[in-house]
Amino acid sequence: MTSRPAEVMPFDVGRLRRDFPILTRRVRGRPLVYLDNAATTQKPRCVIEAVADFYTRSNANIHRGIHALSEEATARYEETRRLAARFLNASSPKEIVFTKGTTEAINLVAASYARPRLKSGDEILITHLEHHANIVPWQMVCQATGARLRVAPIDDTGAVILEEFEALLSERTAVVALAHQSNALGTVNPVARMCRLVRENSPAVVLVDGAQAVAHRKVDLKEIDCDFYAFSGHKLFGPTGVGVLYGRYEILKMMEPYQGGGDMIRAVTFERTLYKDPPERFEAGTPPVASVIGLGRAFEYLSGLDRMALSEYEDELLEYGTDRLREIDGLRMIGTAKRKSSVISFVIDGVHPHDLGTILDVEGIAVRAGHHCAQPVMERFGVPATVRASLAFYNTRHELDRLVEALDAAKEMF
Amino acid sequence: MNDELRELYQQIILDHNRSPRNFGDLPGATHSAEGYNPLCGDHYFVRAHVSEEGIIEKVFFEGSGCAISKASASLMTSAVKGKTLAEAKRIFEEFHGMVTGRREGEEEILGKLTVFSGVREFPVRVKCAALPWHTLVAALERKQEPVTTE
């Protein structure tokens, strides 16, 4: 076990909940039970205040610093880059590119790394549990280059079959893209092991979609050893509109720009433009400065918490919720992998997920009902949609009890 | 149970969800169309047999979706059977006005369909109640493209 920071407070969910102002809200007359954390997480007060404070006191554009405000804004923006590198255990802040979110980060790699390099005969390998954001950009690369998309299958629990994954790797594999955690099933992929398999069996670069993982466990890129890692700030208690793409510097260095514009250039003439080095090369135009600064505050907030204790608490909560839900007659869990985290996806005989969603909403309980932007996963399990309750460390057993009560009432009604 | 919810899921809706009427294929249909809401997955086919005099003699539906969309399809098939095309469209307009909250919903025109008045309290579910109706209209207007209400 790694040592815990000495100054952190012992875990106390009641105290943590007070950091999130929205959790005291009532919805349709009932106290809000927020179980849609896989869609977006709530924001602690310090993040909200950091954004407000930026606009109140320091608002200016960055990297154009003749005046004091711009210098301040630039410094705080760049501070988030350092915090992101530390958060992920990357080698250098230069490996951190700010994007709009996970989707843009994946599209950036697809457009700037894969498109110019892949050709007919090459293969891109993904897994069956990917979010549409980690399927469609690769399909587009295949269409443009003639490369072929391969898909590693999952078993009946929703876990990737590693032997099949390994068997699909070859000299032809040019890119491997896989989720750290499935948004629809909660399955956690053994990404460090999968990256090792990729290195041993192919020349491919590996992108890990970390959107669903970052809020639930400590991510150590030295341990995972991937080439790219992508996530969204808003799923990590930060603001919307900002995401992070980590890229191994020697790979970023050889990639073409993603978009052209201001802030990514060294010199422009009508004949020729010189681009900046990464990461600025990939950050054309004015970025969402306030959101980036808010994300920096989210990194600081999390580093002040005992993240191992948070993960343990969430895992216990997941087990408790899973056991309670299993007591409901006619309920079928979708996704029962041994390694899973924070997501309870299910269907109930005779009650459509959208009807359950409405009934839960009336009780003040926010869940997601639908295909979760993972239609191939739904097809694999033979369901059009599921209800998904997704957890964060500020959820409680009492909230899961309320979920179970509401589901019981729904079953009664139908 | 919450009152708004009881308003939404009235017994008659739950009953038509459990045992939908006029459910299945309609061989020899003169009109048919597909309705699909890709985001939520509700997916229906509506098929009708319209006589030369322009009377809807039979109308069947097939497919799957939530209780609101399925009960709406089921009650719709009962409501428009034996009606002229113009009458069916009049009912559709009144129904649509009611679920979107733009009209009270004339009981004289709607009959049993007034059980869907509770939908207006749930804006995200209006598209569910409306999908079968838009599909029917597309069938009657011989539209080829699948319709959607998302």
Coordinates of all heavy atoms in Angstrom, one line a residue, chain A residues 19-20 23 60 102 116-117 131 134 149 169 178 182 201 259 283 286 305 324 339 356-357:
Chain A
D19 N -19.2 20.0 0.7 CA -18.3 20.7 -0.3 C -19.1 20.9 -1.6 O -18.7 21.7 -2.5 CB -17.1 19.9 -0.6 CG -16.1 19.9 0.6 OD1 -16.2 20.7 1.5 OD2 -15.3 19.0 0.6
F20 N -20.2 20.2 -1.8 CA -21.0 20.2 -3.1 C -22.3 20.9 -2.9 O -23.3 20.2 -2.5 CB -21.1 18.8 -3.6 CG -19.8 18.2 -4.0 CD1 -19.0 17.6 -3.1 CD2 -19.4 18.2 -5.3 CE1 -17.8 17.1 -3.4 CE2 -18.2 17.7 -5.7 CZ -17.4 17.1 -4.8
L23 N -25.9 19.4 -3.7 CA -26.5 18.2 -3.1 C -27.5 18.5 -2.0 O -28.2 17.7 -1.5 CB -25.3 17.4 -2.4 CG -24.3 16.8 -3.5 CD1 -23.2 16.0 -2.7 CD2 -25.0 15.9 -4.5
A60 N -8.9 37.8 -18.6 CA -8.1 38.3 -19.7 C -7.7 37.1 -20.6 O -7.9 36.0 -20.2 CB -6.8 38.9 -19.2
T102 N -13.1 14.7 -23.8 CA -12.6 13.4 -24.2 C -12.8 13.2 -25.7 O -11.9 12.7 -26.4 CB -13.3 12.2 -23.5 OG1 -13.3 12.5 -22.1 CG2 -12.6 10.9 -23.7
P116 N -2.9 10.7 -41.2 CA -1.8 10.9 -42.1 C -0.9 9.6 -42.2 O -0.1 9.5 -43.1 CB -0.9 12.0 -41.5 CG -1.8 12.6 -40.4 CD -2.7 11.6 -40.0
R117 N -1.0 8.7 -41.3 CA 0.0 7.6 -41.2 C -0.6 6.3 -41.7 O 0.1 5.4 -42.3 CB 0.5 7.4 -39.8 CG 1.5 8.4 -39.4 CD 1.9 8.3 -38.0 NE 2.8 9.4 -37.7 CZ 2.5 10.7 -37.5 NH1 1.2 11.0 -37.6 NH2 3.4 11.6 -37.4
H131 N -17.4 3.4 -25.8 CA -18.4 4.5 -26.0 C -18.3 4.9 -27.5 O -17.3 4.8 -28.1 CB -18.0 5.7 -25.1 CG -18.9 6.9 -25.1 ND1 -18.9 7.8 -26.1 CD2 -19.7 7.3 -24.1 CE1 -19.8 8.7 -25.8 NE2 -20.3 8.5 -24.6
N134 N -15.3 6.5 -28.9 CA -14.1 5.8 -29.1 C -14.3 4.7 -30.2 O -13.5 3.8 -30.3 CB -13.5 5.1 -27.8 CG -12.0 4.9 -27.9 OD1 -11.3 5.6 -28.6 ND2 -11.6 4.0 -27.0
L149 N -11.1 -1.7 -39.2 CA -11.4 -1.7 -37.7 C -11.6 -3.1 -37.2 O -12.4 -3.9 -37.7 CB -12.7 -0.8 -37.5 CG -13.0 -0.5 -36.0 CD1 -12.0 0.5 -35.5 CD2 -14.4 0.1 -35.9
L169 N -4.0 -8.8 -32.1 CA -2.8 -7.9 -32.3 C -1.9 -8.5 -33.2 O -1.6 -9.7 -33.2 CB -2.1 -7.7 -30.9 CG -2.9 -6.8 -29.9 CD1 -2.3 -7.0 -28.5 CD2 -2.9 -5.4 -30.3
L178 N -8.8 1.9 -26.3 CA -9.6 1.2 -25.3 C -10.0 2.0 -24.1 O -9.2 2.9 -23.7 CB -8.9 -0.1 -24.9 CG -7.4 -0.1 -24.5 CD1 -7.3 -0.1 -23.0 CD2 -6.7 -1.2 -25.1
S182 N -15.7 1.1 -18.7 CA -16.9 1.2 -19.5 C -18.0 2.1 -18.9 O -18.3 1.9 -17.7 CB -17.5 -0.2 -19.8 OG -18.9 -0.1 -20.0
N201 N 3.1 -7.6 -28.9 CA 2.6 -8.2 -30.1 C 2.4 -7.4 -31.3 O 1.9 -7.8 -32.4 CB 1.2 -8.9 -29.8 CG 1.4 -10.0 -28.8 OD1 1.9 -11.1 -29.1 ND2 1.0 -9.7 -27.5
Q259 N -6.0 21.8 -35.6 CA -6.7 22.9 -36.2 C -5.7 24.0 -36.3 O -4.7 24.1 -35.5 CB -7.8 23.4 -35.3 CG -8.9 22.4 -35.1 CD -10.1 22.9 -34.3 OE1 -9.9 23.6 -33.3 NE2 -11.3 22.4 -34.6
E283 N -3.4 23.7 -29.6 CA -4.4 24.5 -28.9 C -4.7 25.8 -29.7 O -4.4 26.9 -29.2 CB -3.9 24.8 -27.5 CG -3.9 23.5 -26.7 CD -3.3 23.8 -25.2 OE1 -3.1 24.9 -24.8 OE2 -3.1 22.8 -24.5
T286 N -8.6 30.8 -28.7 CA -8.7 31.1 -27.3 C -9.4 29.9 -26.6 O -10.5 29.5 -27.0 CB -9.5 32.3 -27.0 OG1 -8.8 33.4 -27.6 CG2 -9.7 32.6 -25.5
L305 N -7.6 15.1 -0.8 CA -8.4 14.0 -0.2 C -7.6 12.7 -0.3 O -6.7 12.5 -1.1 CB -9.7 13.8 -1.1 CG -10.6 15.0 -1.1 CD1 -11.8 14.7 -2.1 CD2 -11.2 15.3 0.3
R324 N -28.5 -4.9 -2.9 CA -29.9 -4.4 -2.6 C -30.7 -4.6 -3.9 O -31.9 -5.0 -3.8 CB -29.9 -2.9 -2.2 CG -29.4 -2.6 -0.8 CD -30.3 -2.9 0.4 NE -31.7 -3.1 0.1 CZ -32.7 -2.3 0.4 NH1 -32.5 -1.1 1.0 NH2 -34.0 -2.6 0.2
R339 N -13.9 -7.2 -12.3 CA -13.3 -5.9 -12.1 C -14.3 -4.8 -12.6 O -14.4 -4.6 -13.8 CB -12.0 -5.8 -12.8 CG -10.9 -6.5 -12.2 CD -9.7 -6.6 -13.2 NE -9.3 -5.3 -13.7 CZ -8.3 -4.6 -13.2 NH1 -7.5 -5.1 -12.3 NH2 -8.0 -3.4 -13.7
L356 N -39.0 3.7 -16.1 CA -38.3 3.7 -14.8 C -37.7 5.1 -14.5 O -37.7 5.6 -13.4 CB -37.3 2.6 -14.7 CG -37.9 1.2 -14.6 CD1 -36.8 0.2 -14.8 CD2 -38.6 1.0 -13.2
G357 N -37.0 5.6 -15.6 CA -36.4 6.9 -15.5 C -37.3 8.0 -15.0 O -37.0 8.8 -14.1

